[in-house]
Amino acid sequence: MSTLRINVILFGIGNVGSTLINQVLESQQFFLEKRNIDLRFPIITNSTVAFFEKDGIKNQWESNFQSTAFPYSIEDIVEYVQTNNLENLIAIDATASEELIKFYIPLIQNGFSIVAANKKANTLHNDFYKELRRNLQKFDQSFLYETNVGAGLPVVQTINELYLSGEKITKIRGVFSGSLSYIFNRFGNENTPFSSILKEAEKSGYTEPDSREDLSGNDVARKLLILAREIGIHKEFSDVQISSLLLPDLNEENTKAEYASNKQLLDKPYEIAKITQAENHVLRYVGELNVINQKLEVKLISTSKNSALGQLKGADNLIEIYTQSYGEIPIVIQGAGAGKQVTARGVLNDILKIAEKIKLKESVFN
């Protein structure tokens, strides 16, 4: 079987993007030998400049990028791939940009499939969500985003396959945030103030640079909304009921300096929540989708230490999927829900899925 060259256009070379390139370089020979797939990076970009390399990125890509990258537009990228007759195009969104999402549909119309670590496209207004999928169907392109929920865990795939098999999903519940998993797992097992654990989580890189993004519950809400839409529940972000972990006098309205110097205000309410719960219970911050009444909630709950959620450790995610066939016993998916290595590996897995689909399509038409 002839080797299939896949041209990967990478947007974003932060933690996930740069790790992805290195993972591909490490495994390039393996993919050639075992799967007849040749992954190339003819273009890599950050938010302002792009590096164009006809033969794909080599091991010294970082120094080449710094020395030869120049300002670009999406039109420049489309023109470059057309001029150089590059086929089998996959655009990778390893950014957190809202701007790049505006170009998803033009990219699809110009022959690109898309793999996104960026959650924003799947949580925008339903009109965009549907228009994006209409174009994917019209131009016969793929859009994969397994890492939108649970980093490298197969959450989106499992829920999608259950749904498309006709299984009736009744409830999805779980700890979707690695940072909040880490904080509450420690808080339940230690006599340490909440703010001290939060500061250590920040220092260790478990949280966003501004941890209010984690504590607000918005990230968990986005993940829950993505899963709801996967099973045909077309809600908006504003429909998710979010119980923020922030306080009325310590929230997004404070300056960064005010927030940084007043985190101890969080200690008393969470200590009270901890000591007033039932014996052998722990606090967990969960997202819950009740499919029957189409209710989406993000909230702090108290659960038995012996439950699946209660036994969580480290920064693990745990998602429970309740279905009609499985009854009261949920399908449980658990593992690392954050980190550049697992997220990049999840993106790479999506790239390879699209590559196999292209390979199958070529074998049919040839």
Side-chain angles (χ1 to χ4, degrees):
M1 189 184 292
S2 60
T3 299
L4 178 74
R5 177 177 287 194
I6 300 293
N7 289 296
V8 179
I9 314 310
L10 175 62
F11 294 92
I13 51 170
N15 285 338
V16 173
S18 56
T19 303
L20 172 66
I21 295 174
N22 293 330
Q23 286 180 350
V24 169
L25 290 172
E26 285 167 15
S27 303
Q28 209 159 27
Q29 198 58 38
F30 175 83
F31 297 143
L32 276 167
E33 291 172 6
K34 300 294 183 184
R35 305 182 73 157
N36 290 308
I37 292 171
D38 181 15
L39 292 180
R40 299 293 183 100
F41 288 87
I43 306 171
I44 61 172
T45 84
N46 63 19
S47 58
T48 55
V49 294
F51 171 60
F52 293 74
E53 172 56 75
K54 197 170 183 180
D55 294 324
I57 303 302
K58 307 289 188 245
N59 285 318
Q60 69 279 15
W61 70 269
E62 287 164 295
S63 58
N64 288 347
F65 184 89
Q66 288 173 355
S67 60
T68 62
F70 56 87
Y72 73 99
S73 67
I74 298 295
E75 291 75 19
D76 294 331
I77 288 173
V78 170
E79 185 182 341
Y80 182 86
V81 300
Q82 290 175 345
T83 302
N84 290 281
N85 297 314
L86 299 183
E87 297 179 318
N88 306 325
L89 302 163
I90 304 177
I92 310 300
D93 183 356
T95 75
S97 167
E98 291 188 15
E99 200 58 35
L100 183 56
I101 292 162
K102 297 173 186 174
F103 296 101
Y104 278 20
I105 291 173
L107 285 168
I108 290 162
Q109 292 169 343
N110 281 282
F112 287 79
S113 286
I114 295 174
V115 172
N118 187 349
K119 302 179 199 59
K120 294 192 170 77
N122 282 322
T123 57
L124 289 178
H125 194 278
N126 262 308
D127 290 347
F128 175 81
Y129 187 89
K130 290 173 183 173
E131 181 65 11
L132 178 62
R133 281 152 179 80
R134 191 184 68 77
N135 276 274
L136 287 164
Q137 195 168 14
K138 181 179 177 181
F139 293 92
D140 194 23
Q141 300 299 336
S142 298
F143 175 37
L144 297 182
Y145 40 88
E146 185 62 68
T147 57
N148 276 197
V149 183
L153 298 175
V155 180
V156 174
Q157 174 189 325
T158 303
I159 285 170
N160 191 265
E161 288 175 355
L162 285 167
Y163 176 66
L164 292 177
S165 74
E167 179 63 271
K168 285 188 170 59
I169 296 171
T170 55
K171 184 167 75 172
I172 299 168
R173 184 178 77 151
V175 169
F176 292 92
S177 166
S179 55
L180 296 176
S181 178
Y182 171 84
I183 289 167
F184 282 106
N185 292 344
R186 281 193 56 191
F187 188 61
N189 291 312
E190 300 176 18
N191 290 319
T192 307
F194 187 88
S195 63
S196 298
I197 297 173
L198 174 60
K199 288 172 187 173
E200 287 178 39
E202 291 169 337
K203 196 174 179 181
S204 302
Y206 283 111
T207 70
E208 295 293 329
D210 184 341
S211 60
R212 284 176 292 184
E213 292 186 39
D214 301 284
L215 297 176
S216 70
N218 289 340
D219 185 59
V220 175
R222 285 190 195 96
K223 293 171 182 176
L224 198 63
L225 179 62
I226 289 165
L227 296 183
R229 287 177 169 181
E230 282 301 301
I231 59 174
I233 299 173
H234 292 293
K235 295 285 188 178
E236 300 291 355
F237 183 78
S238 57
D239 295 321
V240 186
Q241 296 177 22
I242 305 171
S243 296
S244 172
L245 293 169
L246 295 166
L247 305 176
D249 50 353
L250 191 67
N251 53 46
E252 293 100 325
E253 293 177 12
N254 296 98
T255 66
K256 204 165 184 180
E258 286 171 338
Y259 171 66
S261 61
N262 287 292
K263 291 193 179 96
Q264 73 279 0
L265 293 174
L266 295 163
D267 292 341
K268 189 175 179 181
Y270 289 109
E271 190 60 33
I272 290 170
K274 181 178 177 178
I275 63 177
T276 55
Q277 64 184 336
E279 195 176 348
N280 292 320
H281 274 55
V282 286
L283 299 171
R284 294 289 182 262
Y285 195 61
V286 302
E288 183 172 310
L289 164 62
N290 185 318
V291 180
I292 310 302
N293 61 20
Q294 299 200 356
K295 188 176 182 181
L296 290 82
E297 292 181 280
V298 176
K299 58 191 178 181
L300 187 66
I301 65 165
S302 174
T303 186
S304 167
K305 281 184 176 179
N306 297 322
S307 67
L309 287 172
Q311 293 180 53
L312 266 182
K313 289 184 171 57
D316 277 6
N317 280 188
L318 186 146
I319 291 89
E320 299 174 325
I321 307 165
Y322 291 84
T323 71
Q324 190 175 64
S325 298
Y326 286 81
E328 291 302 306
I329 309 297
I331 299 164
V332 176
I333 300 171
Q334 180 178 354
K340 62 183 182 180
Q341 292 289 343
V342 290
T343 305
R345 187 64 65 182
V347 169
L348 178 51
N349 194 37
D350 278 348
I351 293 169
L352 291 168
K353 282 180 186 174
I354 294 175
E356 291 294 348
K357 187 177 174 183
I358 293 169
K359 205 195 288 185
L360 185 64
K361 209 187 294 183
E362 288 201 352
S363 68
V364 169
F365 288 109
N366 293 334

